[in-house]
Amino acid sequence: MKGIIVAAGYGTRFLPVTKTIPKEMLPVVNVPSIAFIVDEFVKSGIEDIIIISSRRKKVLEDYFDREIELETVFEKEGKLDRLERIKPPANVRFAFVRQQRMLGTGHALLQVKGLVGNDPCVVAYPDDLHLGEPPLAAQLISAWRETGCSVMASVYEPWDVSRYGVLDIAADGKHVRAIVEKPGRGTEPSHEVSIGRYLYTPEFFNYLEEGWERHEGGEYYHIYALNKLMNEGKVVYRRCSGQRLDTGEPEGYLDAILRYADTVPSLRKVLDAYMAERMGK
């Protein structure tokens, strides 16, 4: 099982900071958002991680490498806790591939087809973070082992789903027949909302390549290949447990920081003090 992180985009919603800092490196308190995905992969047993990046993003490679100078300083000073915090993940093999032209997520994934080979893979976008156990990637792997199919992660939204991609579920309650984008109220096929996490079987990349050969220009997305698999009854969904954090926009990013801080006792004290101060006004 391989893990793929799509991290090639410009991050224009976060300008001006993303003029020089990759959006994937923006911290949720003190942890870059991309590190949450890597940690999730590692906890799910994934040891081969491919990161699709682009120009100006060499800092992603540096972050997951050793920092010899700091290691030396912390070792001499006996600061083992800090030394532990800067260690790269153990037993993980990273590969970095650059998408040289911004032509969409489907085009980005095609750049790593040769590295994936005949293995299934979990694809993640650093906009979607997950807190909780079991890790989200492990939940998708479990569904793949049960069915042998590609897997889409979803969350159940009981209220209005007109802003989302909504899953059309087959009669068996497992397979996905289609994704309906932004359905009108009362026309939604379900209340299962697709989120940015997928497990793809190797044939997905063959269909991705097929679609690219027919593509007539502009950005190319993964939906062609996904539709092919859904039409063949080879896609299931897994409603994810745990807490999803959507950092795709500044408002969601701030919400993610607050929700993550609420899980850390030392940071929760700051939140409690702030709320007490606000309530007192």
Side-chain angles (χ1 to χ4, degrees):
M1 183 67 62
K2 291 182 171 65
I4 300 173
I5 302 176
V6 182
Y10 293 124
T12 54
R13 291 175 180 173
F14 285 84
L15 286 170
V17 66
T18 47
K19 177 182 177 181
T20 54
I21 299 174
K23 184 180 70 172
E24 298 79 16
M25 288 300 295
L26 295 181
V28 180
V29 185
N30 62 335
V31 181
S33 57
I34 194 172
F36 282 86
I37 306 293
V38 169
D39 185 56
E40 175 196 320
F41 281 176
V42 171
K43 289 180 178 178
S44 301
I46 296 173
E47 296 181 341
D48 291 291
I49 298 176
I50 305 166
I51 298 177
I52 305 172
S53 68
S54 58
R55 297 181 301 279
R56 307 175 301 110
K57 292 195 175 186
K58 190 176 181 299
V59 65
L60 298 179
E61 300 178 38
D62 293 338
Y63 182 80
F64 292 108
D65 198 358
R66 293 181 61 191
E67 179 50 68
I68 302 298
E69 182 177 339
L70 272 181
E71 288 180 14
T72 302
V73 170
F74 292 155
E75 286 174 352
K76 286 182 177 179
E77 295 178 349
K79 296 179 178 178
L80 301 183
D81 57 332
R82 295 186 181 182
L83 183 63
E84 190 65 29
R85 290 167 67 181
I86 67 169
K87 282 184 177 179
N91 303 317
V92 175
R93 293 172 290 274
F94 285 100
F96 291 85
V97 176
R98 288 190 177 186
Q99 183 185 20
Q100 295 183 344
R101 295 180 294 163
M102 298 296 103
L103 292 177
T105 54
H107 176 266
L109 289 170
L110 273 177
Q111 309 311 301
V112 303
K113 180 178 185 290
L115 293 177
V116 174
N118 293 319
D119 295 323
C121 60
V122 176
V123 174
Y125 300 89
D127 288 353
D128 287 288
L129 311 183
H130 177 266
L131 301 179
E133 296 293 338
L136 181 50
Q139 296 178 47
L140 301 189
I141 292 170
S142 175
W144 165 72
R145 286 176 175 155
E146 293 168 5
T147 65
C149 293
S150 293
V151 188
M152 300 179 65
S154 74
V155 293
Y156 183 77
E157 174 53 65
W159 310 115
D160 178 28
V161 295
S162 60
R163 297 183 295 114
Y164 304 104
V166 182
L167 305 186
D168 183 359
I169 309 299
D172 64 2
K174 294 181 180 180
H175 288 80
V176 181
R177 294 185 297 198
I179 305 174
V180 180
E181 291 292 340
K182 299 180 179 179
R185 290 195 182 192
T187 68
E188 62 273 2
S190 75
H191 283 263
E192 293 293 338
V193 174
S194 173
I195 63 173
R197 198 63 55 84
Y198 307 86
L199 186 152
Y200 292 130
T201 53
E203 58 197 318
F204 167 83
F205 286 90
N206 296 330
Y207 285 133
L208 198 64
E209 195 166 48
E210 176 184 293
W212 175 251
E213 291 171 357
R214 301 180 180 183
H215 187 56
E216 296 181 351
E219 293 193 344
Y220 176 57
Y221 296 97
H222 64 282
I223 194 65
Y224 176 90
L226 193 56
N227 280 335
K228 282 282 191 177
L229 291 175
M230 289 190 290
N231 290 338
E232 294 178 0
K234 295 181 179 179
V235 178
V236 298
Y237 79 98
R238 172 57 61 92
R239 182 187 297 174
C240 68
S241 61
Q243 184 173 195
R244 178 206 180 200
L245 306 179
D246 184 352
T247 63
E249 296 182 353
E251 296 83 358
Y253 174 63
L254 176 58
D255 181 72
I257 291 174
L258 296 175
R259 292 182 183 277
Y260 172 69
D262 195 45
T263 68
V264 181
S266 60
L267 299 177
R268 190 186 305 122
K269 292 179 181 178
V270 179
L271 292 179
D272 291 343
Y274 175 75
M275 290 305 299
E277 180 183 335
R278 293 287 295 176
M279 293 296 289
K281 290 184 178 180

